Amino acid sequence: MAIPETPIFYPYTFENLNAIIAGLKPCSDDRILAIGGSGDQAFALVEYADVVVAERNPEQLEYIKRRKIMLNAGDYFSFVHSAGLGFDNHQLDCNLDYFMEDGRKNRIHARLSHLELGEPKSLEEHASERKFTKIYASDANSKIHRRGTIQEQLAAILTGLEHGGLLYVASGYVSGLIDVRAMGLEEVQELTAAAREIENLYHPAVYMKVEA
């Protein structure tokens, strides 16, 4: 099955998938809300936990759904190479290596029923509807992606995070822009360090929801 030639902003993630796993430490008891993008992050997380994808771009969401169909059909070649689309760089190679490692595609395939892809919705919309143990927000807090101020966006996202739950952001510089403690967040330094040790391009941070 071929990916249609439609405007795809994120054919693959620029983040390191191993860093995301190290930072969030997903497990079978988790319900994770994850930014969609290419779907790479959600596919990586669903190996370990239940995942709901948040993607407000209909074309981007359709891209993830088609990749899920490929994987569900056992078309592993198309799944791991669908992100190529004329791109050739080190990060893409790393992502392909991740999914090819140690039978990982088979394990993800076996858990596809735990990956929820619904209608186009933002992270904030999903967070307003139900609770999650962990949220992977990628760089949704960056100016080009968020609606309103960082404080407004974080407040909306945190409504969907359980007390004691974890929030992973690709840009930990948010700590220098706002008082995250006043927002009810406390950095989990051990998990932040684990993610940053692996991630080369971004400066991730992991926070726990606490009492504001």
Side-chain angles (χ1 to χ4, degrees):
M1 179 182 295
I3 291 287
E5 295 184 3
T6 55
I8 300 298
F9 292 104
Y10 301 105
Y12 58 91
T13 182
F14 291 93
E15 294 179 66
N16 189 300
L17 298 175
N18 283 302
I20 296 169
I21 298 302
L24 277 179
K25 288 191 176 299
C27 64
S28 59
D29 292 332
D30 281 328
R31 298 183 310 281
I32 301 177
L33 176 62
I35 281 286
S38 67
D40 285 338
Q41 303 95 315
F43 287 119
L45 289 166
V46 81
E47 179 182 353
Y48 308 96
D50 292 351
V51 178
V52 174
V53 172
E55 178 54 63
R56 65 190 184 196
N57 181 337
E59 292 167 338
Q60 198 72 55
L61 183 61
E62 182 63 22
Y63 175 74
I64 302 172
K65 288 180 177 180
R66 287 179 179 272
R67 293 188 74 198
K68 181 181 179 181
I69 291 172
M70 292 172 183
L71 190 55
N72 199 41
D75 187 358
Y76 299 132
F77 180 87
S78 294
F79 170 78
V80 298
H81 290 87
S82 62
L85 299 178
F87 291 87
D88 181 20
N89 65 36
H90 175 68
Q91 189 55 56
L92 176 57
D93 290 340
C94 290
N95 293 345
L96 296 181
D97 289 344
Y98 179 90
F99 288 116
M100 294 294 289
E101 182 181 338
D102 297 331
R104 177 163 280 134
K105 299 187 305 300
N106 293 323
R107 294 195 296 274
I108 296 173
H109 182 185
R111 287 188 50 82
L112 283 179
S113 62
H114 297 267
L115 179 65
E116 183 178 327
L117 295 166
E119 298 301 312
K121 289 182 183 179
S122 68
L123 200 67
E124 297 91 327
E125 289 174 304
H126 278 285
S128 71
E129 296 174 350
R130 51 181 143 165
K131 295 288 187 179
F132 300 89
T133 59
K134 296 172 183 175
I135 296 179
Y136 162 71
S138 185
D139 60 348
N141 60 295
S142 66
K143 187 175 182 179
I144 62 172
H145 293 300
R146 72 173 186 266
R147 297 171 176 175
T149 66
I150 294 178
Q151 291 92 331
E152 290 170 339
Q153 186 206 44
L154 272 179
I157 292 174
L158 290 177
T159 60
L161 185 62
E162 293 183 356
H163 182 77
L166 298 179
L167 171 68
Y168 183 109
V169 297
S171 177
Y173 298 112
V174 65
S175 299
L177 300 175
I178 64 171
D179 183 356
V180 293
R181 189 63 179 80
M183 297 291 298
L185 292 173
E186 184 175 287
E187 186 174 350
V188 185
Q189 296 183 354
E190 179 182 353
L191 295 179
T192 292
R196 289 180 183 175
E197 184 176 357
I198 302 170
E199 179 61 69
N200 296 317
L201 182 61
Y202 291 85
H203 192 69
V206 181
Y207 302 98
M208 178 180 290
K209 183 176 181 180
V210 297
E211 295 295 337

